[in-house]
Amino acid sequence: MRGRSSSVGLVLLWFCSLMIGGAAGLRICSYNIQKFNKNKAANYRVMHTLTKIVSRCDICVLQDVVDPKLEAVKVLVASLNRSNKRYDEHHYEYLSSQSLGKASDDLEQYVFIYRTHLVKRLDQHQYEGKAFVRPPFAVHFSCNKTDIKKFVLVPLHTDPDHAVQEIDWLYDVFEEVSAKWNNTNVMFLGDFHAGCAYVTRDDKKNIRLFTNSNFSWLIGDREDTTVTDLTNCPYDRIVVHGQSFLQGIRPDSANVFNFGKEFRLRQAKVLLLSEHYPIEVRLKGSAPLLQAAPLLVLFSAIIRFFLPAL
Ligand SMILES: *[C@@H]1O[C@H](CO)[C@@H](O)[C@H](O)[C@H]1NC(C)=O
Ligand SMILES: *[C@@H]1O[C@H](CO)[C@@H](O)[C@H](O)[C@H]1NC(C)=O
Ligand SMILES: *[C@@H]1O[C@H](CO)[C@@H](O)[C@H](O)[C@H]1NC(C)=O
Ligand SMILES: *[C@@H]1O[C@H](CO)[C@@H](O)[C@H](O)[C@H]1NC(C)=O
């Protein structure tokens, strides 16, 4: 009898942990995929790996996309749709900014790729206020499965020579988009060149996103978002505004995704995609079931108490 009651308890505990595990939240990624164009999308190996990388994310923000006709992007999204065929509802959509840049031979797009059954795009906004080389393209999202139901993502790929100035201007972008959508849950993400020679420790005092304590830098100064062993620089970053957004984020979930290690790929293969690694963070799931978990633990304790008496 005792044996059976403890196995009932174990089953219930397993059930609880399953539900907690099911509240997986929402993974948001950023990846500078360096000159992502038709040629790159024609490389089977690159696309195979890229599909694996992006399919881990619920929203992925690509930078340095050079694909004005969106041919490469469509190949990627079709590949993502196929790779998730088993899960009927896991389909992807994309949203691209205009081609942005100062010189006609050096234009890039920001591209959002996201799971349609999880997140909904509410609105979008091309920032025009300051003289960014590639001005941020902000998107307002909603999600029913996260603590934070509505949030704004703002990607930036800085011009390396103006990195300090451009990162500082993100404060102005914050003011504009948070007022526009009455939402201060704003996340900045992308290749800011926020390290090594481009942004030094001394430069931080000139960057409001550093000096204003309402902003939290989730990818720290000691991270290395570059692939090659020759450099050790935290170029790619994720910054969030506000305490409530910070609390809606899973602790320690902000990471550099070293897919070379994860997928056992040699550095040369990793570099075929980009000199950067993707970065990511997870928002907490809201999961009403999570609140039921303590009840079930109590229930299993009660059963364990009474069963031996039967
Ligand atoms: C991916 O799936 C979505 C949802 O079914 C669909 O709207 C979209 O057209 C597909 N995209 C591509 C490129 O196949
Ligand atoms: C979230 O719920 C609202 C209201 O029920 C619904 O209108 C919206 O489509 C849902 N959003 C997503 C992403 O499922
Ligand atoms: C803005 O949002 C806050 C809560 O987040 C709400 O109390 C307020 O009414 C909103 N203002 C407008 C103009 O919608
Ligand atoms: C930080 O945010 C709070 C709440 O929105 C605001 O009252 C405060 O002025 C902000 N602090 C700074 C330094 O901007």
Side-chain angles (χ1 to χ4, degrees), residues 15-203:
F15 189 55
C16 295
S17 65
L18 200 71
M19 290 197 304
I20 293 166
L26 193 82
R27 185 183 265 129
I28 300 174
C29 313
S30 156
Y31 192 18
N32 176 345
I33 177 72
Q34 278 188 316
K35 301 260 169 301
F36 183 62
N37 57 18
K38 230 165 79 175
N39 287 346
K40 214 168 210 174
N43 182 324
Y44 169 78
R45 281 176 190 280
V46 165
M47 290 311 277
H48 179 72
T49 307
L50 186 57
T51 302
K52 269 163 74 178
I53 292 170
V54 179
S55 68
R56 294 171 67 257
C57 312
D58 300 308
I59 304 177
C60 183
V61 187
L62 300 174
Q63 302 121 61
D64 202 350
V65 174
V66 187
D67 186 30
K69 291 186 186 154
L70 296 168
E71 293 158 300
V73 169
K74 280 177 192 155
V75 170
L76 175 60
V77 174
S79 166
L80 284 161
N81 276 352
R82 270 198 310 278
S83 79
N84 281 272
K85 212 163 41 188
R86 277 174 301 160
Y87 315 102
D88 232 15
E89 79 277 34
H90 282 246
H91 284 293
Y92 294 80
E93 266 171 26
Y94 61 86
L95 174 67
S96 174
S97 71
Q98 298 293 308
S99 295
L100 303 163
K102 293 264 189 280
S104 59
D105 60 349
D106 183 18
L107 299 175
E108 300 177 10
Q109 298 143 257
Y110 297 113
V111 173
F112 290 77
I113 296 178
Y114 54 94
R115 286 204 161 100
T116 47
H117 81 289
L118 273 180
V119 294
K120 210 156 132 181
R121 198 177 82 218
L122 299 175
D123 200 6
Q124 67 210 54
H125 175 61
Q126 178 60 62
Y127 182 82
E128 288 171 349
K130 300 274 187 209
F132 286 95
V133 171
R134 293 172 283 264
F137 175 66
V139 179
H140 196 197
F141 282 104
S142 77
C143 176
N144 289 339
K145 300 225 162 80
T146 44
D147 257 6
I148 300 290
K149 303 289 180 223
K150 287 183 181 177
F151 53 88
V152 180
L153 298 186
V154 182
L156 174 65
H157 180 203
T158 64
D159 179 67
D161 296 331
H162 301 100
V164 174
Q165 176 75 87
E166 291 195 345
I167 300 168
D168 178 62
W169 284 341
L170 286 179
Y171 188 87
D172 303 290
V173 179
F174 167 76
E175 292 199 311
E176 183 167 311
V177 299
S178 59
K180 179 179 172 65
W181 290 314
N182 188 30
N183 189 345
T184 57
N185 298 323
V186 178
M187 178 185 290
F188 299 97
L189 68 177
D191 175 11
F192 296 179
H193 293 100
C196 289
Y198 302 120
V199 176
T200 65
R201 184 191 287 254
D202 223 33
D203 290 324

Side-chain angles (χ1 to χ4, degrees), residues 146-152 174 178 182-187 213-216 218 239-251 281-286:
T146 44
D147 257 6
I148 300 290
K149 303 289 180 223
K150 287 183 181 177
F151 53 88
V152 180
F174 167 76
S178 59
N182 188 30
N183 189 345
T184 57
N185 298 323
V186 178
M187 178 185 290
S213 59
N214 282 343
F215 295 92
S216 305
L218 304 182
V239 179
V240 296
H241 174 270
Q243 274 305 309
S244 56
F245 202 3
L246 188 61
Q247 274 159 20
I249 284 170
R250 273 207 192 186
V281 70
R282 286 171 92 167
L283 306 193
K284 286 179 189 163
S286 53

Side-chain angles (χ1 to χ4, degrees), residues 5-26:
S5 69
S6 65
S7 60
V8 168
L10 275 180
V11 165
L12 282 169
L13 278 178
W14 167 79
F15 189 55
C16 295
S17 65
L18 200 71
M19 290 197 304
I20 293 166
L26 193 82

